[in-house]
Amino acid sequence: MKDKNRAIKVIIALIVFFSGFVLPPPGGMTQGGIQVLGIFLGTLILWLTVAIDWPSVLCMGGLALVTGLDMKGILGSSFGNSTFAFLMFTFLCTYALSETPFIRRCAMAFVTSKWAKKGPWYLAILFFISILFVGSFISPTVLFIIYLPIIEEMYHVLQLKKGDSAASMLMIGLVICCGISSGMTPIAHVFPLMALGFFQEATKEAITYTQYMAYAIPTGLLSFIGSLLVFRYIMKPDMKALHIKDLDQLKLEKDPMGGQEKKVLGIFAIVVALWVLPDLTKSILPSFAGKMKELGTAFPPLLGVVLLSIVSDNGKPLLKFTDGMKQGVPWAALIMASGTLALGSALSNPEIGLTDQLGKMIAPMAETMAPLAMVFVLTLWAAIQTNLSSNMVTVTVVTAIAIPITLATKGSVNTAAVCAIIGTMASFSFAFPPAMPCVAIAGASGWTTAKSLAIYGSIIAFVAVVIATFIGYPLANILM
């Protein structure tokens, strides 16, 4: 039965996929435009119902057949895009970091501090803050997997049992903080980076990492505070069940940092510095800032991978390249990122004309809708879709529609700010199992339920939409 259902979905998707090659284009649309639209919708069906990897490859193959496009250009905008290289090299760097005790050391430093022993809510807040801190430079799925044994150990020491509301709150908070942290920076996080890339592809202008983080970090922290208020006053877990006096039993990383950990951390710090410093020093070191901008965002992690492969500890390289490529790079996600990059390039291609056509169709609506109302609708759309489907699909679909709509307002709505918000909200996927693997794992863990994740994840997602619209957008509008 499953094979039959899958076959039906694939057949329907393929019919839609190739429909643009046999149907005449409607008025005002080019032949290439209807072909790209059919490929977009067919691929979207496959992404949502079948898989994210091979449909992305099919998408690139289909785009190569479109009138006005060619295979060389498609490969250049996908695998040849600097975003692909940036993601691959960054994943390799974060893999090397995850192989050291550093992440566990950070987590334990928070939850065993004297502040954590002041009370159950202090402990919970510090545990969540440790996730936000580490998650700022680690992919959310990797972060969740690393934190699972830590939270299991905390449950044991705190004498929590499955079914306890406090245990459920901690697990839900872990999932939510993984999502929030991945939207706060573009470092090792696919979804914000894709949104920034789509904006640059469409407008030939760039949103810098510093600009993005200056908006996204405050927005993420306010969303985190909102989630704490939801936990405290809506969920109302029984925090008295936490035996915080037993925290000293947690197995700490008592040994000082070893050579491997220090070297990996030092190289990772260099990579992050090369991302951030050019924007901060362009007034005093213009030649350095200009050179780094010329090299692009993929150069720092490339340098990091080379250094990690060269530098050794006890005769072993800090990064064994083959292991990193096998275990540290989520290839399915990377292949989909390539497909969406090619699709985004095709959708915004002036010869295809889809964005111009869509802009003409949407312009009347854009002229009548209040700017902030438009921002709210697009933000809410991104939040809902990312919790019901793939984050990458969300970024691709919502930015493809949002960019021409906002550009049609002729400045009334800041397109850069909206794209940044979409990148953030696409990361806030913590309500339903299709959103992220960690949601499904947490819901099946026994420590919380899929129903609880759906209820509180949805409430917190809506709180984040309000914050992003009425606080994040005005801030991004100033910065971008």
Side-chain angles (χ1 to χ4, degrees):
M1 182 62 71
K2 289 183 179 179
D3 288 343
K4 184 178 179 181
N5 290 336
R6 182 179 184 276
I8 291 172
K9 293 171 184 176
V10 171
I11 291 171
I12 292 172
L14 290 176
I15 291 172
V16 175
F17 189 94
F18 290 106
S19 62
F21 291 89
V22 294
L23 295 175
M29 186 177 290
T30 65
Q31 187 64 51
I34 192 172
Q35 290 170 352
V36 170
L37 187 60
I39 290 170
F40 171 63
L41 295 175
T43 305
L44 181 60
I45 293 171
L46 291 171
W47 279 340
L48 294 177
T49 63
V50 181
I52 65 170
D53 40 25
W54 68 263
S56 300
V57 179
L58 173 66
C59 173
M60 289 183 275
L63 290 173
L65 304 176
V66 170
T67 304
L69 302 180
D70 59 71
M71 193 65 191
K72 183 178 179 181
I74 297 303
L75 292 176
S77 62
S78 56
F79 295 112
N81 193 298
S82 62
T83 300
F84 179 88
F86 167 85
L87 290 172
M88 185 178 70
F89 294 138
T90 303
F91 282 134
L92 288 169
C93 289
T94 55
Y95 168 76
L97 187 64
S98 68
E99 289 293 290
T100 72
F102 176 74
I103 295 174
R104 178 181 169 79
R105 192 187 299 277
C106 289
M108 291 296 102
F110 279 100
V111 300
T112 59
S113 67
K114 63 179 182 179
W115 287 97
K117 297 175 184 177
K118 287 181 176 289
W121 280 106
Y122 284 90
L123 168 64
I125 291 170
L126 286 167
F127 174 64
F128 295 149
I129 289 175
S130 76
I131 301 167
L132 291 179
F133 172 71
V134 178
S136 296
F137 47 84
I138 294 289
S139 72
T141 302
V142 173
L143 179 68
F144 180 81
I145 296 302
I146 290 172
Y147 262 80
L148 263 183
I150 296 175
I151 198 171
E152 291 276 359
E153 191 174 344
M154 286 177 60
Y155 285 145
H156 173 72
V157 171
L158 298 171
Q159 300 180 36
L160 290 173
K161 299 178 178 63
K162 291 183 177 181
D164 289 346
S165 57
S168 177
M169 187 270 290
L170 288 173
M171 181 61 76
I172 293 172
L174 169 58
V175 174
I176 287 170
C177 288
C178 284
I180 291 176
S181 66
S182 68
M184 288 168 59
T185 77
I187 302 170
H189 301 139
V190 179
F191 323 122
L193 192 67
M194 287 175 65
L196 304 190
F198 288 145
F199 171 77
Q200 186 170 1
E201 184 72 35
T203 65
K204 309 307 176 187
E205 298 177 3
I207 302 170
T208 67
Y209 286 4
T210 304
Q211 287 174 317
Y212 179 82
M213 289 189 288
Y215 133 78
I217 291 176
T219 301
L221 291 176
L222 288 173
S223 298
F224 168 63
I225 292 171
S227 68
L228 293 178
L229 294 176
V230 170
F231 290 150
R232 180 69 178 84
Y233 296 106
I234 298 179
M235 188 178 187
K236 298 179 181 178
D238 179 15
M239 300 299 282
K240 295 178 182 178
L242 275 70
H243 293 69
I244 59 173
K245 292 182 180 180
D246 297 330
L247 282 175
D248 289 332
Q249 296 179 31
L250 284 173
K251 298 176 183 178
L252 304 179
E253 294 290 345
K254 295 181 180 179
D255 296 333
M257 283 192 182
Q260 178 197 11
E261 188 175 356
K262 288 180 179 178
K263 292 172 184 176
V264 171
L265 192 58
I267 292 172
F268 196 85
I270 292 172
V271 172
V272 174
L274 290 177
W275 276 326
V276 177
L277 285 179
D279 285 324
L280 300 178
T281 61
K282 59 184 177 183
S283 58
I284 55 176
L285 295 171
S287 58
F288 167 73
K291 184 61 178 178
M292 290 308 302
K293 184 177 181 180
E294 180 185 333
L295 290 171
T297 56
F299 179 77
L302 181 152
L303 176 63
V305 169
V306 172
L307 292 175
L308 289 167
S309 301
I310 292 174
V311 178
S312 62
D313 185 70
N314 291 327
K316 296 181 179 179
L318 300 178
L319 170 66
K320 191 174 180 181
F321 193 84
T322 52
D323 288 348
M325 293 293 281
K326 291 177 183 177
Q327 303 170 29
V329 179
W331 286 105
L334 203 54
I335 292 296
M336 185 178 179
S338 300
T340 55
L341 287 167
L343 189 56
S345 177
L347 289 168
S348 60
N349 189 311
E351 293 185 15
I352 299 300
L354 268 179
T355 52
D356 290 340
Q357 182 70 13
L358 187 59
K360 292 175 183 177
M361 294 169 57
I362 299 299
M365 182 187 74
E367 291 173 359
T368 58
M369 184 179 286
L372 208 56
M374 183 185 296
V375 173
F376 178 78
V377 169
L378 292 170
T379 304
L380 181 63
W381 177 14
I384 292 173
Q385 183 169 333
T386 197
N387 278 287
L388 295 174
S389 66
S390 163
N391 319 70
M392 294 186 187
V393 174
T394 298
V395 174
T396 304
V397 173
V398 183
T399 52
I401 304 300
I403 290 173
I405 289 177
T406 52
L407 288 175
T409 66
K410 299 179 181 179
S412 296
V413 178
N414 187 320
T415 303
V418 169
C419 286
I421 288 175
I422 292 170
T424 302
M425 296 313 302
S427 307
F428 286 18
S429 48
F430 34 62
F432 299 99
M436 284 287 284
C438 60
V439 182
I441 295 170
S445 67
W447 293 107
T448 189
T449 64
K451 180 180 178 180
S452 295
L453 278 162
I455 292 172
Y456 297 109
S458 297
I459 294 172
I460 292 168
F462 182 76
V463 170
V465 167
V466 174
I467 291 170
T469 301
F470 297 101
I471 299 176
Y473 174 74
L475 178 59
N477 191 32
I478 294 171
L479 294 167
M480 303 172 191

